[in-house]
Structure formats: structure tokens, C-alpha cells
Amino acid sequence: MKLSFRWYGESDPVTLQNIRQIPGMRSIVSAVYDVKPGEVWPEESLAKMKEQVESNGMLFDVVESIPVHEDIKLGRGNVDQLLEVYCENIRRCAKYGVKCVTYNFMPVFDWTRTQLNKVADDGSTSLVMYWDQMKGLDPLKDDIHLPGWDSSYSQEEVRELIAAYGDLGEEGLWANLEKFLKKVIPVAEECGVVMAIHPDDPPYPIFGLPRIITCEANLDRFLKLVDSPANSLCLCTGSLGCARTNNMVEMVRKYAAMGRIAFMHVRNVKIMEDGSFEERAHLSSCGSLDMYEIVKALVDNGFDGYVRPDHGRMIWGETGKPGYGLYDRALGATYINGLFEACEKAKNA
């Protein structure tokens, strides 16, 4: 297991000096955040990030993410040129030591929540999605600004994209994902990079947008589109795990045994009666997922990829980027360390 931590660059209030003090921390997960999707990443930015990370005793070998331009997902416009740019970005990342690139194929929005600061009984705050807060919202008619939605889009652009994806449908999105993979995966293979797709968050349709990286059957279909170790999964327990129909332990066991998990995002969620969910502390008893059994499934099947604590609560008065403070993610990292140590010792006993 290669323990990692997401860092948002020099503007991140969580510093590399903070992160390096977390026991067992190996890798920094980051990206070039000041370049728009569809543009080439400057080598100077990658070189600087590599130097900053390595000067703090860690490795910059995971990128999260190289965003996929909406026209690639929709299969329109100058899609072939955009695919060439994407491939060039993979080559440039590899040149500076990156071994794993995470991305998603979610239409329009990377994730959807209704609140970023829901106060729990203990005074901590976290991200939640409540269905009763979604009722009556129609982005085709109303001006809606939900957490996780890209603020660079105007309401008019959001409406156009939602309409375009509605016309495309799930099968159209699958076809465009296949075209993407058949272009990108051979380049990744040549560069020694593993591409790791992140599941949809949450893993079911919202506002009629097609979602396809959602469940075991669809993950199977995805992996068969290009059957290569370079075409792998970023298995996020909190994204897939907020749907009761997904058995996270069995899915982790299956794909770890196949050698097709490149990256694990480990976090816990509490699923409510109506299917709403709250992000919780990493500990198994705090949510609906059995984190011990998830880690055991990884260890028992020889997983040796990247792991990071995913979204954390805000605790101890910390403020910052919702889900990405220092304290609770550091607690999550130490918990993950303990689970892996216990499972590895039990396996080798």
C-alpha cells in the first residue's frame, strides 16, 4: 500500500510540511489547477510541483486529475484535437515521474452535494446530500448553484450541457468513453502510466444526466472496453458506497483480485432511510461501510496500489476547502495505516 494525500498546490492552506508529518505518508496527489480542460499543462508547472514535493521527502507520482473536456464526453466539436492534448498531458506527467492518473467521465459536475457544512452532534461539519433539499429543483428552468458544481459555467451553459447529455443518453456516453480509452490507453501503456477512472458521485442519475461508472455491472463493462492493466479503477468507497445496491467489500475483493484497482479513495458514508447520505468520520462504526473488511479484501488479494484518505470532516475549529482540511484526513490516514498493519500481520501470521 502506498499512502498518499491530496494537495491543491501553493494556495492550499494544508502545507506539504503539514502532510509530511503524517506517519507513513509517501505520495502527494495533485494536478495543474490553473489550466483549463483541453489545454496542455506547462512542463514548468509539473517540474516545480515535483521539486516542491520531493524537497519535503515525498513523491509526486499521482495526478488527480487530468480533467476530460465536455466535448470529449459529448463526442462533438474538435474532439480529436482534444484527445491529442489529453495524450500529451499524459506524456508530460510521465516525464516528471507520475505513475497513476485519475480522471472521471461524469457529465458536467464532478460531484453533487446539497450542503458543505452540515453540523453533526459532536460539532464537526461535513458534506451531505439530502434528497428533500433536491426536490423541486430544475436546472433547465431555475438558477441553481449546488456544491460541487463548476462555477465557471454560466446557468445558460449548464442548461445547454444538460440538454446535450439528455440527447446523448447513456449509450452515447459509453460510446464516447470507448473512443477516449482506445486513444488514451495505448499512450498510457507506452509511458508506464496507469489510468484510474473515478466512479460517479453519487452513482445514480441526477437531473436526468446519464451516469455510467456506477455499479459492478458497469465497472465490468468499462474494464472490457480496453482490457489492459493500464485501464484500471480509482475505487472510491464513499462514491460507490452511498448506493445501498453496491456491496463495497465484494467489489473491492473482486477488482483487487483482478489487479485492476490502481487507486483507493477510502472514506465512510452514512446512508439514510430515503437514500440521502452524510459523509462521516473514517471509522467503521461512524457510517454504513465496514472499513476493516474493505482493507482486508485489499490485503488478502495482494493490493499494492495507492491509497488516500478521502473527504474529511472539519474538526477542532479548522476552516478551509470543504472535505479537504488537514486534521480529519490525517486521522483517516492513521486509521488506514492501522487497518493495513493489522490485516497484513493477520494474513502473514
Side-chain angles (χ1 to χ4, degrees):
M1 182 270 287
K2 304 177 182 72
L3 188 63
S4 63
F5 207 85
R6 192 165 189 182
W7 180 60
Y8 282 91
E10 292 176 321
S11 64
D12 196 329
V14 180
T15 66
L16 292 172
Q17 290 81 5
N18 295 149
I19 298 168
R20 71 181 298 184
Q21 294 173 22
I22 301 170
M25 193 53 62
R26 175 190 186 276
S27 296
I28 287 296
V29 181
S30 196
V32 176
Y33 294 106
D34 59 353
V35 175
K36 294 179 180 179
E39 297 181 1
V40 176
W41 286 6
E43 288 198 38
E44 300 78 27
S45 297
L46 291 164
K48 181 179 180 181
M49 190 170 298
K50 178 181 173 69
E51 190 280 327
Q52 289 173 314
V53 171
E54 291 182 351
S55 67
N56 279 279
M58 296 173 288
L59 299 175
F60 171 48
D61 50 358
V62 186
V63 158
E64 186 176 343
S65 59
I66 304 178
V68 181
H69 196 282
E70 298 296 335
D71 284 351
I72 292 177
K73 300 173 198 174
L74 286 164
R76 69 183 187 182
N78 59 338
V79 61
D80 292 333
Q81 176 60 30
L82 290 169
L83 288 170
E84 291 293 343
V85 169
Y86 202 97
C87 291
E88 177 60 22
N89 282 334
I90 293 173
R91 296 185 187 99
R92 292 189 177 200
C93 287
K95 181 177 178 180
Y96 291 93
V98 171
K99 302 299 182 185
C100 178
V101 170
T102 304
Y103 67 101
N104 71 71
F105 222 73
M106 284 182 260
V108 192
F109 314 116
D110 280 358
W111 48 274
T112 299
R113 300 291 187 272
T114 55
Q115 285 180 249
L116 300 180
N117 57 354
K118 176 67 169 61
V119 181
D121 292 341
D122 63 4
S124 63
T125 63
S126 66
L127 288 70
V128 301
M129 195 189 87
Y130 294 144
W131 280 113
D132 62 355
Q133 294 175 338
M134 297 282 285
K135 289 178 181 176
L137 298 180
D138 184 349
L140 293 178
K141 297 178 181 177
D142 309 317
D143 286 348
I144 298 175
H145 300 278
L146 285 173
W149 288 23
D150 190 338
S151 60
S152 66
Y153 292 130
S154 68
Q155 287 294 311
E156 186 175 332
E157 288 170 328
V158 167
R159 293 186 182 104
E160 188 276 327
L161 285 169
I162 291 176
Y165 279 109
D167 292 339
L168 182 70
E170 284 193 9
E171 287 306 314
L173 191 58
W174 274 113
N176 293 334
L177 175 56
E178 182 174 6
K179 179 176 180 177
F180 171 81
L181 293 174
K182 287 182 174 178
K183 178 69 176 182
V184 164
I185 297 303
V187 175
E189 290 172 335
E190 292 170 6
C191 296
V193 169
V194 176
M195 301 296 296
I197 195 168
H198 189 286
D200 298 346
D201 186 6
Y204 34 75
I206 292 178
F207 300 131
L209 289 167
R211 301 256 175 143
I212 58 178
I213 308 300
T214 56
C215 61
E216 184 176 348
N218 285 11
L219 294 183
D220 289 345
R221 178 175 177 178
F222 165 78
L223 292 173
K224 290 175 183 175
L225 292 176
V226 177
D227 191 5
S228 164
N231 181 36
S232 289
L233 304 173
C234 170
L235 211 60
C236 178
T237 63
S239 296
L240 291 169
C242 64
R244 284 196 184 90
T245 50
N246 286 329
N247 185 324
M248 286 312 306
V249 175
E250 291 303 318
M251 291 171 75
V252 168
R253 182 177 294 119
K254 173 179 176 174
Y255 297 115
M258 293 170 60
R260 300 298 283 276
I261 303 176
F263 197 9
M264 284 293 303
H265 287 184
V266 178
R267 63 180 170 91
N268 207 347
V269 291
K270 179 67 175 179
I271 307 173
M272 320 308 284
E273 284 297 320
D274 66 348
S276 300
F277 62 89
E278 300 174 349
E279 297 189 359
R280 294 285 184 90
H282 286 70
L283 189 70
S284 295
S285 59
C286 292
S288 300
L289 305 181
D290 191 328
M291 308 310 287
Y292 171 81
E293 289 295 338
I294 287 170
V295 170
K296 186 175 184 296
L298 290 168
V299 171
D300 288 348
N301 289 283
F303 172 79
D304 64 353
Y306 297 93
V307 176
R308 74 168 175 87
D310 202 6
H311 300 171
R313 304 166 299 149
M314 286 298 181
I315 62 174
W316 303 337
E318 184 178 23
T319 59
K321 184 177 177 62
Y324 287 97
L326 171 64
Y327 304 144
D328 200 43
R329 285 192 297 156
L331 292 177
T334 57
Y335 179 55
I336 291 166
N337 272 331
L339 289 176
F340 269 92
E341 181 177 352
C343 291
E344 287 165 356
K345 286 184 175 178
K347 180 182 179 183
N348 296 324

